[in-house]
Amino acid sequence: MRRTSPLREAGLDAVTLVVLFLLLVPILWVFVASVRPETDITGGGLWPQRLTFVHYEAILAKKPFLIALKNSLIVGIVVAIITTALALPAAYALSRFRFHGRDFFGLLILGTQMLPSLAVLVPLVVIVRQLGLTNTLTALIFTHLALGMPIAVWMLKGYIDAIPKELEEAAMIDGCSRVGALTRIVIPLIRPAIIAVGTFAFVLSWGEYLMALALISKADVKTLPLALQGLFDPYSFSWGQVMAGGTIIALPAILLFLIFRKQLVGGLLAGGVKG
Amino acid sequence: MDMAARQETVTVARAASRSPGRSLLPDRWLPYGMIGPAVFVAFAIAIVPLCYAFWLSLQEWYMLRQPQPKWGGLINYRALLQDTQLWASFGRTWIWTLGTVFVELLLAMPIALLLNRETAIARTASALILLPWVTPFIVLGFGWRFLLDSDVGPIHSFLHLIGIAGDSSVLNDPVLAFATIIFISGWKGTPFLVIALLAALKSIPDELYEAAEVDGAGAWSRFWHITVPSIQNTVVTVGLVLGILAFYSFDLPWIMTKGGPQDATTIVGIAMYKAVFLDLRPAYAAAISIVMLVLLFAASMFALRARRID
């Protein structure tokens, strides 16, 4: 770092804090509103005075919301597991083998990342309908694989590239098979990256709205984003409850992302991203 | 099971040759077995739907009149050319896309420069700044509806105070609603650009600045002659990625205004969604998605070429 005066740095730090606050205040407000009594939200001024968890109790007592919570967990966890299980061997093959079509397959997988869901929405909806899979979690899980898989492959490939080949070769000379070398040497070394990639797939699926909206209309297979929309009863809805539901959706995404930030940010920049 | 069996042969072959080389026969098929499932998913989720969309766009399929698809040739494309509402939504989408990227550049540039320092606060801030990017659209959409609500929204009160909003929410005014949602769209994408710019800024060697300083270059001239050229590539590539994402937006305007008021926020993504689910014309919607793809491709090529000439 070049020479800088401490006073100037302190001044810039103060500006940074103000800018950060302004950027994040819309999200903070959602959290704050979720723990304020309804009367305070509608007419209690800006500064929160009283703390309450009635909104959380209210929505967690709602059957549709609980069902959606369960569905979102199922979809998210299955998507995370399948994504990792598909991405890890693919990343290994791209990193360690030279084979015909390697570049083509690599670009194909990366290209999927650049393709927004909306671009394939219509054909996917028609295909799913013709397969009779509308209103099933299976169809949703399958479409959600596209969200995280390409990035998972490219991130894991980067991590595997960084492991010296000699480690595996030594193991194979000692009688380990190729897959044995993968499971005994490579996987333990990149475990943090594997967990990060799975988490990422979970988070993307957890908040996904468009595919869920297009494929799901029955209450018993709805996911959380759809359930949140359902809280918007035009005649009697509570802002507090909607914000509490929003917090329940946002918080896991935010926390998991911050925990795995180091592993994820590099991969995000490398692969472009799906919003 | 198949994999295991194949693996047995690999082991045997290896044991026999005692060589760590990579030219053994079974190894030739192993990579295909390993990458196969991921490639299958990529095919099923990207390539197959894209080809199917093209085929679908050539069908005549209007659920109310023509419940089974039948060959229609260019019928959808012909209808599309005359659909003035659709072209209006394409026009809005360009404004939306350029507006979103503009807001992102405007916000991200100074923030990245601000965060490109080694203090604890700058480091923490560059982690927390990601929140709008990682928070799902559904939460942000409802959050902003709350903030802009004319009864309870604190930001509405502020906008009312400074005279931008009248008694009803800005979301009820066609022009203001569109501008507001473009701003929110840009706000959501800003962190991504900040992080990318930050990575580019950090890779500029300090010596460059020091040398410039010795030569008597002022702060502005250092920024213009060292910083700008070094981050130019990042700005163009990330800007293009963010532009593509914005072009394919749906969630935010749908959650916030359902394309209203009076179609003011109906960008082409929403028009396409309505064509499938409200008008029940999947083949027509497929034609829209093909046209989107072609226009986007042309625009990206144009943007990249403009950069090269530059």
Side-chain angles (χ1 to χ4, degrees):
Chain A
M1 208 54 212
R2 289 178 307 137
R3 57 174 208 283
T4 40
S5 77
L7 196 69
R8 184 163 170 271
E9 286 296 314
L12 289 175
D13 272 353
V15 178
T16 307
L17 285 179
V18 172
V19 169
L20 188 68
F21 176 76
L22 287 177
L23 270 182
L24 299 189
V25 80
I27 298 175
L28 281 176
W29 239 315
V30 170
F31 296 161
V32 169
S34 75
V35 290
R36 293 181 82 182
E38 200 69 26
T39 48
D40 286 14
I41 296 176
T42 47
L46 287 183
W47 198 251
Q49 314 256 321
R50 290 181 291 166
L51 182 76
T52 173
F53 290 101
V54 288
H55 303 309
Y56 289 92
E57 284 164 26
I59 56 168
L60 289 176
K62 284 191 172 148
K63 196 112 189 281
F65 197 83
L66 286 178
I67 293 174
L69 186 63
K70 190 193 76 184
N71 288 336
S72 276
L73 279 173
I74 293 174
V75 173
I77 290 171
V78 174
V79 166
I81 292 172
I82 298 182
T83 298
T84 322
L86 292 179
L88 183 64
Y92 186 82
L94 285 175
S95 168
R96 285 296 192 253
F97 295 102
R98 300 283 166 274
F99 54 99
H100 260 293
R102 174 175 168 275
D103 292 348
F104 169 74
F105 290 140
L107 278 178
L108 177 71
I109 293 173
L110 191 64
T112 324
Q113 184 69 42
M114 291 303 298
L115 195 69
S117 313
L118 194 67
V120 289
L121 179 81
V122 178
L124 275 180
V125 165
V126 175
I127 292 171
V128 165
R129 200 169 279 182
Q130 278 165 353
L131 293 174
L133 290 174
T134 321
N135 280 315
T136 61
L137 295 183
T138 317
L140 196 59
I141 287 169
F142 198 73
T143 56
H144 279 189
L145 289 180
L147 300 173
M149 195 194 70
I151 257 193
V153 171
W154 283 90
M155 277 180 61
L156 291 177
K157 179 182 175 294
Y159 280 92
I160 297 173
D161 283 344
I163 301 174
K165 265 191 196 122
E166 289 73 25
L167 280 179
E168 288 153 78
E169 282 169 357
M172 286 192 293
I173 289 172
D174 290 344
C176 212
S177 67
R178 188 48 103 159
V179 174
L182 170 62
T183 52
R184 281 183 215 159
I185 310 241
V186 175
I187 291 181
L189 282 173
I190 58 166
R191 187 173 293 148
I194 295 176
I195 296 171
V197 155
T199 308
F200 192 53
F202 175 85
V203 165
L204 288 179
S205 159
W206 178 258
E208 202 278 341
Y209 175 68
L210 176 59
M211 281 296 170
L213 181 72
L215 296 177
I216 305 281
S217 57
K218 286 209 179 99
D220 55 340
V221 277
K222 278 189 175 168
T223 52
L224 276 179
L226 299 181
L228 186 67
Q229 204 174 3
L231 290 178
F232 250 96
D233 180 346
Y235 297 104
S236 69
F237 76 92
S238 132
W239 278 113
Q241 284 180 24
V242 175
M243 294 303 117
T247 307
I248 291 179
I249 298 175
L251 219 49
I254 289 174
L255 291 180
L256 289 172
F257 195 89
L258 287 181
I259 293 171
F260 292 105
R261 189 176 66 94
K262 286 229 162 53
Q263 283 91 347
L264 294 176
V265 166
L268 281 188
L269 293 181
V273 87
K274 229 166 222 181
Chain B
M1 271 338 267
D2 191 31
M3 282 286 272
R6 198 178 297 148
Q7 216 30 62
E8 288 287 322
T9 23
V10 176
T11 324
V12 171
R14 285 218 178 283
S17 71
R18 285 274 158 219
S19 132
R22 43 194 65 264
S23 56
L24 294 167
L25 189 72
D27 255 16
R28 264 176 56 192
W29 299 109
L30 184 60
Y32 295 102
M34 292 181 100
I35 204 172
V39 169
F40 170 76
V41 170
F43 254 98
I45 286 174
I47 307 293
V48 171
L50 280 180
C51 298
Y52 189 61
F54 182 64
W55 180 84
L56 206 57
S57 74
L58 300 172
Q59 306 297 306
E60 189 180 351
W61 193 9
Y62 188 170
M63 302 266 201
L64 298 178
R65 276 204 311 258
Q66 175 70 41
Q68 285 307 313
K70 77 166 199 227
W71 181 256
L74 293 175
I75 185 167
N76 292 308
Y77 293 98
R78 240 177 264 131
L80 198 145
L81 282 176
Q82 289 162 2
D83 190 340
T84 47
Q85 278 190 330
L86 183 71
W87 290 110
S89 70
F90 264 112
R92 267 179 232 121
T93 310
W94 291 120
I95 300 175
W96 165 276
T97 305
L98 295 176
T100 300
V101 176
F102 178 72
V103 172
E104 283 160 349
L105 282 172
L106 204 66
L107 292 176
M109 205 59 188
I111 295 175
L113 290 171
L114 202 53
L115 294 183
N116 185 27
R117 296 173 303 124
E118 294 297 319
T119 63
I121 287 183
R123 272 199 303 274
T124 318
S126 37
L128 288 177
I129 199 151
L130 282 162
L131 293 201
W133 178 258
V134 299
T135 306
F137 272 115
I138 187 85
V139 180
L140 297 180
F142 283 137
W144 276 99
R145 267 172 76 169
F146 164 66
L147 295 169
L148 295 169
D149 187 87
S150 56
D151 292 330
V152 296
I155 294 187
H156 170 79
S157 316
F158 175 72
L159 293 176
H160 185 67
L161 199 72
I162 61 173
I164 291 179
D167 287 332
S168 93
S169 166
V170 285
L171 294 179
N172 294 328
D173 177 271
V175 176
L176 287 177
F178 194 43
T180 309
I181 302 180
I182 288 177
F183 173 79
I184 297 171
S185 166
W187 165 77
K188 156 109 173 157
T190 296
F192 184 61
L193 188 54
V194 169
I195 298 299
L197 286 176
L198 211 48
L201 287 174
K202 290 220 197 279
S203 67
I204 306 176
D206 281 341
E207 291 77 36
L208 279 183
Y209 290 106
E210 278 155 20
E213 224 166 330
V214 171
D215 290 348
W220 176 248
S221 140
R222 287 200 301 271
F223 175 75
W224 194 247
H225 292 290
I226 301 175
T227 315
V228 171
S230 324
I231 59 173
Q232 209 173 10
N233 268 335
T234 309
V235 170
V236 174
T237 358
V238 179
L240 198 60
V241 170
L242 287 169
I244 293 174
L245 286 180
F247 186 76
Y248 275 98
S249 290
F250 169 82
D251 295 21
L252 200 59
W254 182 257
I255 293 165
M256 292 197 66
T257 51
K258 291 256 185 332
Q262 299 145 33
D263 281 350
T265 57
T266 301
I267 54 175
V268 70
I270 289 182
M272 189 176 91
Y273 181 88
K274 283 181 171 169
V276 192
F277 290 98
L278 300 180
D279 304 342
L280 304 177
R281 297 168 74 183
Y284 188 60
I288 298 178
S289 73
I290 296 292
V291 171
M292 278 178 89
L293 215 55
V294 170
L295 287 180
L296 181 69
F297 185 74
S300 307
M301 285 298 113
F302 181 74
L304 286 175
R305 175 158 299 181
R307 166 187 162 213
R308 225 166 285 146
I309 289 168
D310 201 34

